[in-house]
Amino acid sequence: MPTSADELTRSLLTLYPALRSLPAGQLAALCPPGAVRSVPAGAQLFSERQDCLGFPLLLAGTIKVVKNTVGGREMLLYRVEPGGSCIISSSCLLGHTPYTARGVAETPLSLLVLPTAAFASLVASNPTFRDFVFHLFAERIAELMELVEEVAFHRLDQRLAKLLLGKGEAIRATHQALAEELGSVREIVSRLLKGFAVQGLVRLGREQIVIIDRAGLQQLATSNR
């Protein structure tokens, strides 16, 4: 975490180049002493139907944004990493509406939260910052449309195979965590993984999955049967 105002400013400008267009005084006003928050892993940053708290600028760590189903399951919508931000937050700020999803610190976080008034002022007066916000919207909407397509038109075993392929050869993850990413339940994901193991596609260990047959897993992920 940045330990001085100068370090915070350098870190912000590196991760968020859109802020470089701000006058020095305005930038300093966004980064007063003590403005950076440290948040432990697992902490909830915001919840559904809660009023928006501001626009997060993430300096370190990962935030996962999830939606709860009526049955109590979780579906991962997207992750926020340093240099990005949360379109749920920006849409709530722009539309003056409560949060429509839940944000959780997936790892320990270091972040700066722009107050509502500061965010509104930047969007109204700074074209570079406004472009940054709407570029984020475009990227996230494309990702969410892809997620909708995956859920609507692909089988769960295909989606699980694709998810594993995107995580490397040796995957450190619980079955519950994979189920949350897929919007499913642990029991179904565990059953599918055991099937993958029987087929010789993966080897299962304690909170670890090793891909043995990447080509076979790829064929399953793209199968139309």
Side-chain angles (χ1 to χ4, degrees):
M1 183 176 80
T3 56
S4 71
D6 287 343
E7 287 181 4
L8 172 57
T9 299
R10 284 196 297 270
S11 182
L12 268 179
L13 295 184
T14 299
L15 291 168
Y16 297 94
L19 298 177
R20 293 174 185 170
S21 61
L22 296 182
Q26 189 175 5
L27 183 61
L30 297 177
C31 313
V36 177
R37 293 173 52 192
S38 295
V39 180
Q44 183 165 283
L45 300 173
F46 56 84
S47 60
E48 292 189 54
R49 294 180 292 279
Q50 178 185 4
D51 289 337
C52 194
L53 304 176
F55 186 75
L57 299 174
L58 189 59
L59 303 174
T62 307
I63 300 169
K64 65 177 183 178
V65 179
V66 299
K67 183 76 174 176
N68 288 89
T69 68
V70 175
R73 297 190 326 226
E74 274 188 1
M75 171 171 276
L76 176 70
L77 298 179
Y78 56 86
R79 287 185 170 89
V80 181
E81 298 181 340
S85 198
C86 174
I87 65 162
I88 296 290
S89 296
S90 50
S91 66
C92 293
L93 289 168
L94 292 170
H96 307 288
T97 58
Y99 289 109
T100 55
R102 192 160 58 90
V104 179
E106 191 168 40
T107 67
L109 305 178
S110 174
L111 78 164
L112 176 71
V113 179
L114 294 184
T116 302
F119 173 81
S121 175
L122 283 174
V123 169
S125 64
N126 190 294
T128 304
F129 183 80
R130 184 166 59 247
D131 287 347
F132 162 69
V133 171
F134 285 106
H135 179 70
L136 282 178
F137 263 107
E139 285 186 337
R140 291 300 187 198
I141 287 172
E143 291 174 9
L144 292 174
M145 289 301 293
E146 184 178 345
L147 176 61
V148 169
E149 181 180 349
E150 289 282 331
V151 173
F153 302 116
H154 293 82
R155 302 188 317 270
L156 187 60
D157 61 341
Q158 290 179 296
R159 295 172 55 218
L160 177 58
K162 182 178 179 181
L163 179 64
L164 296 178
L165 287 167
K167 289 184 175 292
E169 300 299 326
I171 302 157
R172 300 291 301 183
T174 65
H175 295 189
Q176 178 63 40
L178 293 173
E180 289 176 3
E181 290 203 50
L182 294 168
S184 184
V185 294
R186 180 184 57 80
E187 292 79 7
I188 295 176
V189 168
S190 294
R191 186 163 66 246
L192 289 173
L193 286 171
K194 288 176 183 177
F196 289 1
V198 169
Q199 296 173 62
L201 301 174
V202 301
R203 182 172 66 248
L204 303 179
R206 183 174 178 81
E207 296 189 7
Q208 185 176 41
I209 302 162
V210 178
I211 296 177
I212 299 172
D213 183 357
R214 174 167 285 271
L217 205 60
Q218 182 67 51
Q219 184 176 4
L220 173 61
T222 57
S223 171
N224 291 320
R225 64 177 174 80

